[in-house]
């Protein structure tokens, strides 16, 4: 059958069309289990051909049954009340892993199936004639479809019944006046509802009163038989209230709640209960609880009669010393000695049990039990032997014969009875729990839909009991769950299904909720035993297994963490191929589990070993060793059913294998790499170093497998977030000091270690990685440059230095690979960085800073003179922050212009004229801004007043100004010499001349600003006062720039020099009359005048 289904190609087919194609090829068998296996395989095949349509094969499996039901309902004439679109949508709620399928899509399916019937392969005509009334029964679908839907027609059925009852009442009224009696044959069983509603209460009284008051065997037999028939009729017609009244009545007559009063008629009632369970089990529904309660009480008394120690001996809560002493002195029942050691306490408690509705056993009231009561109990326990244990057990062994709905009701009732047994504080019992395990085993071969419903009930039950405060009970429950899991994993699970995962989820939930260390440790050992002993059969169960160990990784107890990791080590080393054999997505679950262990705070070696296993997983992924069956279930990029258009499914046809393979890479690689990336924030240096090493080694070794889209995701979500720690932690406004910029979670030493170790190393590795795979990732250059610029523009000198160093590293290694467009991106980034780091002195110029300066100068005697007012402290803080920010930015700009010059020197021949002019503009802006600061006399005077607070030279940015102008001159001169493509000589010469004029003008203004004329009183003679030492030093610092400027002017061509001489000559003349801080200026001026100006004058003469 599997081979046959594998022959179908459903790729691109809508779901209903796939079912049409599938069912036209063969005739469905009549057995429900065979139909179930066929539909299960169909769902698996459809999901394999269309991996993005449904989240799992379970969804397709349930929807397939729902579609068949809709087809039967819409196109069979015997169905009177047709299903509506809203009914169809309501029937399919929550089938997509707990979520709803899009309503628009379900309406689309409803319309297509309603308009066009799904026709199955024709049956023999004779068979059709034999079964004309119910086509579902022919197909064996009745027991299945009752579970798929929520009985949408039940309410309509009741409405129809009420109409029929009213019609019958009218018929009776019409016939009443007639004297002649006529017998009418009933044509509808619903007529009985009306009759029973009228007479059920008198019948109950008629049977109950004699049963209670009489001991006559014939009367008792007739009453019990009447009750049995009443239960049968009311149960078959779903008259729940009436049925429960009769069942409760016979259950009370068993007198199992008061065993000291048991008589022979009560034994007969017990036998009647067993007969009812055997004959009418399919219709009992909630009434099963009464029957199973009786069975539980019978078993309790039966054990007591045999003298076995009760379950409370093993499962009761610990007692105090006085209770233990009292129990040790309790008398052994003499009559029971030959059968075993039954304790007086439990026998007495049985005697004194309360009413029928009481759940547990009475307290410690041994003293109130009379010898007569005890003798009656012993006698009655012997009477119970008339009902054999085998007859009681038949209820459970025959549960596999119950229909699909009845078995669910049975399990619900048994779970409720077991809950009452286990939650008793004084007398906890496990009888019903053991029976739950048994019936789960008996019914494990039912069709998937039914078994799923059974397990939904059992799962909630095991979770509740597993979290019980009674440790012994919780341990017993988890061990019982382990036994069931071992049996269940013997069954085969097809690809894309999720039921093993659902089956083992109770382990996960209890692992997360339980406060008992013993329970959590037991779960780890149980899951380990289950997986390792059934490793060949585990498919989707790996998900729950990894969730258990992931939870264990975060446990507060060291032993649990170490035990869980020991098991994970064994699984990955020995059974890694099994993990992804069918479910390749479990690879991600494995990775997430290992990432959880990397965060272990108990053992550094555990974290390091987990990182090593992540590297192993990366190697396996790169080798594409993820099992033989590929499953493309990329939940993040999947386009689940979202449109009713038939094109929804056909998109798959246009996706070739390469596209799907890339999506798989995105799905599998990303969690692994992101987990390693997050470890770069780990406070332990060894872990950070190891994680970064494995991360970048993995990317270097396997990056050739990545597509550009995957690389984009890696840079955006794996590599760049490493630096968010520092890129966004520091206030870009400079509102507080750099020391406060790093995350406060780390100590200061750890901050430095992270900043100068991890961050620097990571940024270098990112740059190297980009260079290595430049041919693939070159479209990401702009994003890498933005990362580096974000470092440079931070008001933190160390961060900016790291960014500048990484920028130079990138250029030195990849500059030869850049095209002209890429170089333009580079120089624009440098320009952006330069503009973003211009020093801002605006706050220092404000009046607030001056007031602070006066206070600082007047209050140098003691630190206690600091301003006490909050606003004054805030102003002082802002002033310090502003000064720190200015000094930081000035230092960063010096580093930046040096880096620009270094990059320019390496790749001067690669730069176009446009790129070189962009660099010129950037540095000219830096120089002009620095000059405006240096010539701001108000600012300079305030800086001098602030004194030791600033520790800045005067002028504050002189070095930055002169070096920037120097590099600008170099750029323009080299452009004229190199004459690169697209070079505009006139534009460049104009820039050069303007720059020279600007530099000379600034120098002349500076040289003359300190000289004032001195006049005698006669007014006849005056001269300039010589410059002070400060001005002399400033002019000496500017001298190399002036010398270079004069040399640049002299290097102009004759025609260009002569053309610009009218603008330059007044400046040169002013230089002659200036006082200079260095003789080099005078020498350079003399050389330029003699070589250039002189020749022009000679030619003009």
């Amino acid at each position: 059958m599997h081979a046959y289904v594998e022959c179908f190609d459903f790729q691109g087919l809508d779901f209903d069309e796939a079912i049409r194609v599938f069912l036209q090829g063969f005739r469905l068998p009549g057995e429900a289990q065979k139909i179930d296996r066929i539909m299960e395989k169909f769902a698996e095949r459809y999901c394999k051909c269309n991996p993005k349509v449904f989240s799992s094969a379970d969804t397709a499996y349930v929807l397939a049954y729902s579609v068949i039901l809709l087809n039967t309902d819409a196109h069979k004439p015997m169905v009177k009340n047709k299903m509506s679109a809203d009914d169809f949508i309501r029937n399919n709620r929550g089938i997509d892993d707990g979520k709803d399928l899009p309503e628009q899509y379900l309406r689309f399916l409803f319309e297509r199936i309603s308009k066009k019937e799904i026709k199955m392969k024709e049956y023999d005509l004779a068979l059709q004639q034999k079964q004309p009334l119910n086509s579902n029964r022919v197909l064996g679908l009745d027991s299945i479809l009752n579970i798929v839907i929520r009985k949408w027609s039940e309410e309509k059925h009741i409405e129809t019944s009420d109409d029929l009852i009213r019609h019958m009442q009218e018929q009776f009224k019409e016939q009443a006046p007639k004297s002649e009696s006529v017998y009418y044959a009933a044509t509808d069983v619903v007529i009985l509802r009306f009759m029973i509603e009228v007479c059920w209460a008198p019948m109950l009284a008629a049977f109950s009163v004699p049963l209670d008051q009489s001991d006559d065997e014939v009367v008792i037999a007739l009453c019990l038989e009447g009750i049995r028939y009443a239960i049968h009729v009311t149960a078959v017609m779903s008259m729940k209230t009436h049925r429960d009244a009769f069942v409760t009545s016979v259950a009370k007559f068993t007198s199992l709640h008061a065993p000291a009063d048991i008589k022979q008629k009560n034994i007969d009632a017990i036998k009647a209960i067993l007969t009812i369970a055997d004959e009418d089990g399919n219709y009992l529904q909630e009434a099963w609880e009464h029957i199973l309660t009786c069975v539980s009480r019978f078993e309790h008394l039966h054990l007591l009669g045999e003298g076995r120690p009760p379950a409370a001996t093993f499962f009761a809560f610990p007692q105090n010393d006085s209770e233990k002493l009292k129990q040790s002195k309790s008398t052994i029942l003499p009559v029971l000695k030959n059968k075993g050691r039954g304790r007086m306490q439990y026998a007495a408690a049985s005697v004194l049990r309360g009413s029928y509705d009481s759940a547990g056993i009475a307290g410690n009231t041994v003293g109130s039990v009379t010898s007569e009561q005890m003798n009656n109990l012993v006698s009655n326990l012997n009477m119970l032997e008339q009902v054999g244990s085998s007859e009681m057990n038949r209820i459970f062994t025959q549960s596999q014969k119950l229909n699909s709905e009845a078995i669910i009701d049975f399990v619900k009732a048994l779970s409720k009875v077991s809950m009452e047994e286990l939650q008793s504080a004084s007398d906890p019992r496990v009888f019903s729990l053991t029976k739950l395990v048994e019936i789960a085993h008996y019914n494990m071969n039912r069709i998937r839909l039914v078994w799923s419903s059974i397990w939904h009930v059992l799962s909630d039950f095991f979770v509740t009991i597993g979290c019980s405060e009674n440790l012994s009970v919780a341990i017993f429950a988890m061990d019982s769950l382990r036994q069931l899991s071992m049996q269940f994993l013997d069954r085969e699970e097809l690809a894309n299904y999720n039921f093993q995962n659902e089956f083992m989820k109770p382990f996960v939930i209890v692992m997360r909720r339980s406060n008992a260390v013993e329970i959590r440790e037991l779960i780890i050992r149980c899951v380990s035993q289950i997986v390792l002993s059934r490793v060949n059969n585990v498919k989707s169960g790996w998900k729950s297994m990894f969730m258990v160990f992931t939870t264990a990784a975060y446990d507060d107890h060291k032993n649990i963490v170490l035990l869980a990791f020991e098991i994970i080590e064994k699984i990955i080393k020995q059974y890694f191929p099994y993990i992804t054999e069918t479910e390749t997505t479990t690879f991600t679950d494995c990775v997430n589990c290992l990432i959880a262990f990397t965060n272990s705070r108990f053992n550094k070696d555990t974290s390091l070993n987990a990182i090593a296993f992540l590297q192993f997983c990366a190697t396996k992924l790169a080798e594409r060793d993820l099992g033989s069956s590929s499953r493309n279930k990329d939940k993040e990029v999947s386009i689940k059913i979202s449109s009713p258009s038939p094109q929804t499914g056909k998109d798959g046809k246009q996706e070739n294998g390469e596209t799907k393979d890339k999506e798989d890479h995105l799905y599998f690689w990303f969690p692994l790499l992101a987990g390693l990336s997050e470890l770069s924030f780990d406070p332990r240096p060894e872990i950070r170093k190891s994680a970064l090493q494995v991360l970048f080694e993995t990317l270097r070794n396997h990056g050739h497998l990545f597509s550009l889209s995957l690389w984009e995701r890696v840079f955006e979500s794996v590599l760049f977030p490493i630096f968010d720690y520092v890129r966004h932690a520091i206030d870009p406004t400079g509102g507080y000091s750099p020391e406060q910029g790093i995350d406060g979670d780390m100590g200061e030493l750890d901050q430095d270690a992270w900043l100068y170790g991890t961050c620097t190393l990571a940024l270098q590795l990112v740059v190297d990685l980009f260079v290595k795979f430049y041919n693939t990732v070159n479209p990401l250059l702009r994003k890498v440059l933005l990362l580096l610029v974000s470092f440079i523009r931070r008001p933190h000198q160390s961060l900016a230095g790291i960014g500048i160093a990484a920028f130079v590293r990138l250029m030195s290694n990849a500059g030869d690979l850049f095209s002209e467009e890429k170089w333009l991106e580079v120089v624009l980034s440098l320009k952006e960085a330069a503009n973003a780091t211009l020093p801002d002195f605006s706050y220092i110029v404000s009046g607030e800073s001056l007031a602070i300066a006066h206070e600082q100068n007047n209050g140098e005697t003691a630190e206690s003179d600091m301003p006490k007012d909050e606003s004054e402290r805030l102003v002082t803080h802002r002033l310090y922050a502003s000064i720190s920010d200015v000094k930081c930015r000035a230092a960063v700009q010096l580093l930046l212009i040096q880096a620009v010059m270094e990059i320019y020197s390496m790749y001067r021949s690669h730069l176009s004229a446009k790129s070189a002019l962009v660099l010129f503009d950037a540095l000219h802006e830096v120089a002009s801004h620095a000059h405006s600061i240096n010539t701001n006399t108000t600012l300079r005077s305030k800086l001098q007043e602030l004194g030791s607070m600033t520790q800045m030279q005067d002028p504050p940015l002189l070095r930055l100004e002169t070096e920037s102008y120097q590099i600008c001159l170099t750029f323009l001169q080299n452009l004229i010499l190199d004459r690169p493509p697209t070079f505009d000589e006139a534009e460049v010469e104009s820039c050069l001349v303007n720059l020279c004029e600007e530099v000379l003008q600034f120098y002349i203004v500076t040289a003359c600003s300190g000289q004032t004329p001195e006049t005698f009183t006669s007014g006849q003679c005056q001269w300039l006062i010589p410059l002070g030492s400060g001005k002399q030093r400033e002019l000496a610092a500017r001298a190399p720039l002036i010398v270079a400027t004069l040399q640049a002017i002299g290097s102009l061509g004759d025609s260009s020099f002569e053309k610009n001489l009218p603008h330059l000559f007044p400046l040169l003349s002013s230089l002659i009359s200036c006082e200079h801080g260095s003789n080099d200026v005078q020498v350079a001026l003399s050389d330029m005048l003699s070589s250039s100006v002189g020749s022009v004058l000679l030619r003009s003469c």
Side-chain angles (χ1 to χ4, degrees):
M1 185 268 289
H2 284 203
Y4 173 75
V5 178
E6 290 290 339
C7 294
F8 284 90
D9 183 9
F10 298 127
Q11 186 175 8
L13 292 179
D14 289 314
F15 189 70
D16 62 310
E17 192 62 33
I19 293 180
R20 295 180 201 276
V21 173
F22 182 63
L23 294 181
Q24 286 174 355
F26 65 96
R27 180 172 61 86
L28 277 175
E31 187 180 344
Q33 287 187 344
K34 291 182 180 179
I35 296 174
D36 183 68
R37 285 194 292 270
I38 291 172
M39 299 312 294
E40 188 178 5
K41 184 62 181 177
F42 161 77
E44 180 210 35
R45 181 61 182 167
Y46 184 83
C47 287
K48 190 176 292 186
C49 294
N50 302 277
K52 291 184 179 180
V53 175
F54 299 111
S55 60
S56 70
D58 300 270
T59 305
Y61 169 76
V62 177
L63 187 60
Y65 276 121
S66 188
V67 165
I68 293 175
L69 171 68
L70 173 63
N71 185 70
T72 302
D73 178 270
H75 299 286
K76 299 306 176 185
M78 72 281 299
V79 179
K80 303 300 181 183
N81 299 308
K82 300 293 185 182
M83 189 187 305
S84 67
D86 291 336
D87 293 327
F88 182 68
I89 293 170
R90 185 167 58 252
N91 292 344
N92 291 286
R93 283 177 182 162
I95 67 172
D96 188 26
D97 284 348
K99 299 185 292 292
D100 294 341
L101 292 173
E103 181 176 331
Q104 195 175 9
Y105 175 76
L106 292 176
R107 289 190 183 276
F108 165 72
L109 275 182
F110 179 86
E111 291 173 3
R112 285 173 62 98
I113 294 167
S114 299
K115 292 177 181 178
K116 184 180 179 182
E117 181 181 3
I118 298 175
K119 295 185 178 181
M120 306 178 194
K121 190 174 179 66
E122 294 297 331
Y123 284 76
D124 295 337
L125 182 60
L127 182 59
Q128 290 183 359
Q129 292 173 347
K130 289 179 182 179
Q131 302 281 353
L133 296 179
N134 193 340
S135 59
N136 278 348
R137 193 175 301 280
V138 174
L139 298 176
L141 294 175
D142 272 346
S143 61
I144 303 175
L145 296 180
N146 287 337
I147 302 301
V148 177
I149 63 171
R150 300 178 180 179
K151 290 193 170 182
W152 66 273
S153 61
E154 190 172 282
E155 295 180 1
K156 296 182 178 180
H157 176 72
I158 292 174
E159 292 174 3
T160 305
S161 302
D162 293 338
D163 293 338
L164 184 60
I165 289 173
R166 285 193 295 270
H167 176 69
M168 290 304 301
Q169 288 175 334
E170 293 173 0
Q171 291 283 329
F172 288 145
K173 289 178 182 179
E174 292 177 1
Q175 298 295 330
K178 297 181 181 181
S179 58
E180 185 177 341
S181 298
V182 180
Y183 178 80
Y184 293 93
T187 57
D188 196 324
V189 72
V190 178
I191 297 174
L192 286 176
R193 280 182 76 97
F194 174 71
M195 299 172 64
I196 294 174
E197 285 176 354
V198 172
C199 64
W200 76 273
M203 280 195 299
L204 179 60
F207 297 142
S208 300
V209 173
L211 191 60
D212 183 40
Q213 298 178 353
S214 174
D215 292 327
D216 185 271
E217 293 183 3
V218 176
V219 173
I220 298 299
L222 288 174
C223 290
L224 290 175
E225 186 177 11
I227 291 177
R228 279 175 44 208
Y229 289 150
I231 291 173
H232 173 76
V233 174
T234 54
V236 167
M237 290 190 295
S238 298
M239 302 175 71
K240 298 180 181 179
T241 304
H242 314 78
R243 177 203 63 207
D244 290 351
F246 284 104
V247 173
T248 304
S249 178
V250 72
K252 287 181 178 179
F253 282 125
T254 61
S255 195
L256 290 169
H257 56 285
D261 302 326
I262 288 180
K263 301 178 182 179
Q264 181 59 44
K265 64 180 179 181
N266 303 120
I267 302 298
D268 295 336
I270 295 173
K271 294 179 180 178
I273 283 282
L274 298 180
T275 304
I276 292 168
D278 186 50
E279 295 178 353
D280 298 310
N282 286 333
Y283 311 105
L284 290 176
Q285 298 178 337
E286 293 85 354
W288 269 115
E289 183 181 345
H290 301 290
I291 293 176
L292 293 174
T293 299
C294 291
V295 172
S296 172
R297 290 172 175 174
F298 175 87
E299 184 273 345
H300 180 64
L301 295 174
H302 183 73
L303 289 181
L304 190 61
E306 292 185 347
R308 300 181 190 175
T313 305
F314 308 102
F315 296 104
F317 279 105
Q319 300 170 314
N320 56 41
D321 295 338
S322 62
E323 289 175 331
K324 289 181 179 179
L325 181 62
K326 189 174 182 180
Q327 178 174 322
S328 64
K329 295 180 179 180
S330 61
T331 307
I332 306 301
L333 289 177
V335 186
L336 300 180
K337 280 186 178 180
N338 59 335
K339 293 187 177 181
R341 298 178 60 83
R343 295 188 179 278
M344 171 76 80
Q345 177 186 9
Y346 299 103
S350 299
V351 172
L352 297 177
R353 187 187 296 273
S355 64
Y356 169 79
D357 295 324
S358 61
I361 294 177
N364 299 324
T365 54
V366 178
S368 61
V369 180
T370 65
S371 59
E372 182 180 357
Q373 287 178 314
M374 197 56 73
N375 290 332
N376 289 339
L377 173 61
V378 173
S379 175
N380 294 340
L381 292 180
N382 291 331
M383 289 178 63
L384 290 177
E385 293 183 357
Q386 296 179 41
V387 183
S389 296
S390 59
E391 295 180 38
M392 283 291 179
N393 286 330
R394 270 177 53 85
I395 292 179
F396 304 104
T397 57
Q398 296 298 316
S399 64
Q400 53 192 326
K401 294 184 179 180
L402 295 174
N403 64 31
S404 300
E405 295 175 85
I407 185 60
I408 298 172
D409 294 327
F410 183 82
V411 172
K412 287 180 179 178
L414 187 56
S415 298
K416 190 172 181 180
V417 172
S418 179
M419 194 76 71
E420 293 175 353
E421 289 181 353
L422 293 168
Q423 289 181 344
S424 171
S426 59
D427 182 28
R429 299 171 54 230
V430 295
F431 168 73
S432 296
L433 174 56
T434 57
K435 293 305 177 184
L436 273 173
V437 176
E438 287 181 18
I439 65 167
H441 173 67
Y442 295 147
N443 292 275
M444 202 171 283
N445 290 325
R446 287 184 180 262
I447 65 172
R448 176 180 293 274
L449 281 171
V450 179
W451 176 240
S452 297
S453 300
I454 293 173
W455 187 248
H456 180 73
V457 177
L458 292 178
S459 178
D460 292 341
F461 170 79
F462 278 114
V463 168
T464 303
I465 300 302
C467 297
S468 171
E469 295 180 0
N470 189 328
L471 185 60
S472 300
V473 168
I475 290 174
F476 191 89
M478 288 297 98
D479 187 64
S480 300
L481 182 60
R482 177 193 60 80
Q483 296 175 42
L484 275 180
S485 301
M486 299 279 281
Q487 296 170 9
F488 180 77
L489 287 179
D490 286 333
R491 300 179 63 183
E492 178 188 13
E493 182 178 72
L494 299 178
N496 299 332
Y497 281 94
N498 200 38
F499 195 52
Q500 282 186 0
N501 180 35
E502 293 296 325
F503 192 94
M504 296 184 67
K505 270 189 179 177
F507 284 119
V508 181
I509 299 173
V510 176
M511 184 73 187
R512 292 173 178 173
R513 295 181 182 176
S514 178
N515 295 322
V517 179
E518 296 85 353
I519 293 298
R520 300 200 297 274
E521 182 176 347
L522 175 63
I523 290 174
I524 293 173
R525 296 188 184 279
C526 285
V527 171
S528 171
Q529 182 184 1
I530 292 168
V531 171
L532 297 180
S533 62
R534 298 290 189 273
V535 68
N536 291 318
N537 292 344
V538 180
K539 300 294 187 295
S540 65
W542 286 111
K543 296 178 183 295
S544 291
M545 186 275 290
F546 282 122
M547 281 193 281
V548 167
F549 291 117
T550 301
T551 305
Y554 295 109
D555 201 278
D556 293 331
H557 288 76
K558 180 178 181 180
N559 291 339
I560 289 181
V561 177
L562 297 181
L563 173 63
F565 188 71
E566 179 183 344
I567 297 170
I568 281 291
E569 277 188 308
K570 183 176 181 181
I571 289 173
I572 295 179
K573 285 179 180 178
Q574 300 180 12
Y575 303 111
F576 185 83
Y578 292 98
I579 295 176
T580 56
E581 183 178 12
T582 304
E583 293 275 341
T584 51
T585 51
T586 53
F587 174 82
T588 302
D589 300 311
C590 176
V591 167
N592 290 334
C593 181
L594 290 172
I595 290 172
F597 279 106
T598 61
N599 295 300
S600 172
R601 54 192 174 89
F602 293 113
N603 192 324
K604 182 174 64 178
D605 292 336
T606 298
S607 299
L608 293 174
N609 287 337
I611 293 173
F613 278 120
L614 286 173
Q615 188 173 23
F616 170 80
C617 290
T619 303
K620 290 293 184 181
L621 180 57
E623 295 172 354
R624 302 172 187 264
D625 188 16
L626 295 187
S628 56
S629 175
S630 175
R631 177 183 181 188
N632 301 302
K633 183 184 175 183
D634 187 348
K635 291 186 178 178
E636 295 187 24
V637 298
S638 66
I639 51 171
K640 291 182 182 178
I641 314 163
S642 58
S643 170
S645 169
Q647 299 299 323
T648 300
K650 295 180 181 178
D651 291 344
K653 281 186 175 180
Q654 301 171 0
E655 297 176 357
N656 55 31
E658 181 182 357
T659 303
K660 293 179 181 179
D661 185 62
K662 289 180 179 179
E663 289 174 357
D664 270 347
H665 262 54
L666 180 65
Y667 179 67
F668 296 131
W669 279 109
F670 184 73
L672 189 153
L673 299 174
L676 290 170
S677 172
E678 291 175 2
L679 288 175
S680 60
F681 305 129
D682 195 286
R684 297 165 293 180
E686 302 89 344
I687 305 302
R688 294 202 303 268
K689 181 179 179 181
S690 177
L692 282 179
Q693 180 182 350
V694 171
L695 172 62
F696 285 97
E697 187 175 332
T698 299
L699 291 172
R700 282 195 303 269
N701 294 340
H702 310 304
H704 62 280
L705 301 172
F706 294 2
S707 62
L708 176 60
S709 61
L710 179 54
W711 271 117
E712 287 178 346
R713 190 73 180 278
V714 168
F715 273 92
E716 286 286 351
S717 303
V718 176
L719 300 180
F720 291 163
I722 295 176
F723 310 104
D724 287 345
Y725 185 65
V726 289
R727 285 199 297 164
H728 305 305
I730 302 175
D731 184 0
T733 63
Y736 52 89
S737 61
E739 288 76 8
Q740 296 174 323
I742 309 300
D743 194 332
D745 291 341
M746 281 192 175
E748 187 174 348
L749 293 178
D750 287 336
Q751 293 174 15
D752 292 339
W754 196 94
L755 186 62
Y756 298 111
T758 306
C759 182
T760 305
L761 175 63
L763 198 57
Q764 292 174 354
L765 292 173
V766 168
V767 168
D768 294 344
L769 195 66
F770 180 83
V771 174
K772 180 177 176 64
F773 297 103
Y774 179 78
N775 291 335
T776 302
V777 301
N778 64 84
L780 304 178
L781 175 63
R782 179 59 182 165
K783 294 181 179 180
V784 175
L785 293 175
L786 285 174
L787 170 68
L788 301 180
V789 170
S790 70
F791 268 81
I792 297 172
R793 65 190 302 167
R794 292 296 94 187
H796 189 285
Q797 188 172 346
S798 298
L799 290 178
I802 292 170
I804 292 171
F807 207 114
V808 174
R809 187 186 185 94
L810 174 63
M811 295 303 106
S812 62
N813 293 332
D816 293 328
L817 305 174
F818 291 167
S819 62
E820 183 176 342
E821 291 77 12
K822 298 300 181 186
W823 269 113
L824 187 59
E825 288 186 19
V826 170
V827 296
L828 287 172
S829 297
L830 288 170
K831 183 177 181 180
E832 178 187 353
N835 291 334
T837 54
L838 294 174
D840 181 12
F841 287 83
S842 59
Y843 185 75
I844 299 176
V845 178
S846 67
E848 293 179 351
S849 62
L850 187 57
I852 297 296
H854 285 302
E855 293 184 15
Q856 292 291 324
N857 293 332
N858 297 331
E860 296 175 353
T861 56
E863 294 182 0
S864 59
D865 293 330
M866 289 291 292
K868 296 181 180 180
D869 186 77
E870 182 64 28
S871 61
E872 292 180 354
R873 285 197 296 270
L874 180 61
V875 170
T876 304
H877 175 73
R878 289 190 60 189
L879 179 60
Y880 275 106
S882 180
I883 292 173
S884 176
D885 178 71
V886 165
K887 293 167 69 176
C888 170
R889 289 175 181 270
V892 169
Q893 289 224 312
L894 283 172
L895 291 174
L896 185 59
I897 62 174
Q898 292 168 3
V900 168
M901 193 60 197
E902 183 179 351
I903 294 169
Y904 177 80
S905 300
M906 287 189 289
Y907 297 106
R908 173 178 166 184
S909 60
H910 289 72
L911 293 176
S912 64
K914 184 177 181 180
S915 297
L917 287 175
V918 170
L919 285 180
F920 166 77
D921 290 339
L923 267 66
H924 185 257
E925 180 67 24
V926 171
S928 299
H929 178 76
H931 178 74
S932 66
I933 297 298
N934 292 333
T935 56
N936 188 332
T937 55
T938 303
L939 172 62
R940 291 172 64 177
S941 62
K942 289 187 177 182
L943 290 176
Q944 290 175 357
E945 291 173 3
L946 291 172
S948 60
M949 282 184 65
T950 61
Q951 297 181 350
M952 297 181 72
Q953 64 178 4
D954 182 45
L957 303 180
L958 180 60
R959 181 185 172 191
L960 179 62
E961 177 189 350
T962 56
E963 289 191 13
S964 299
Y965 274 125
Q966 184 77 51
I967 296 174
C968 287
L969 281 173
T970 303
F971 284 166
L972 295 178
Q973 287 180 285
N974 289 342
L975 271 176
I976 295 174
L977 292 175
D978 298 339
R979 309 182 69 83
T982 69
F983 167 70
D984 186 344
E985 184 175 3
E987 178 187 3
V988 175
E989 283 191 354
S990 175
C991 288
L992 179 59
V993 171
N994 292 336
L995 180 64
C996 291
E997 291 180 7
E998 181 180 334
V999 170
L1000 293 177
Q1001 183 67 42
F1002 290 163
Y1003 180 82
I1004 292 169
V1005 171
T1006 301
C1008 297
S1009 62
Q1011 295 179 317
T1012 56
E1014 182 71 25
T1015 306
F1016 284 104
T1017 55
S1018 62
Q1020 296 178 354
C1021 183
Q1022 58 181 356
W1023 61 82
L1024 296 176
I1025 297 176
L1027 294 173
S1029 60
K1031 277 293 181 185
Q1032 289 285 353
R1033 287 194 297 272
E1034 180 181 349
L1035 292 176
R1038 295 179 181 275
L1041 174 61
I1042 300 303
V1043 171
T1045 302
L1046 293 173
Q1047 292 173 350
I1049 294 173
S1051 66
L1052 292 173
D1054 293 341
S1055 60
S1056 177
F1057 181 83
E1058 190 171 347
K1059 181 177 68 174
N1060 293 289
L1061 187 58
H1063 305 290
L1064 296 172
F1065 193 77
L1067 297 173
L1068 298 176
S1069 300
S1070 298
L1071 277 180
I1072 297 173
S1073 61
C1074 287
E1075 184 177 350
H1076 303 288
S1078 171
N1079 292 332
D1080 293 341
V1081 175
Q1082 295 167 315
V1083 173
L1085 179 61
S1086 174
D1087 292 342
M1088 193 273 295
L1089 289 174
S1090 61
S1091 62
S1092 299
V1093 178
S1095 60
V1096 173
L1097 292 175
L1098 288 174
R1099 286 197 301 273
S1100 62
C1101 294

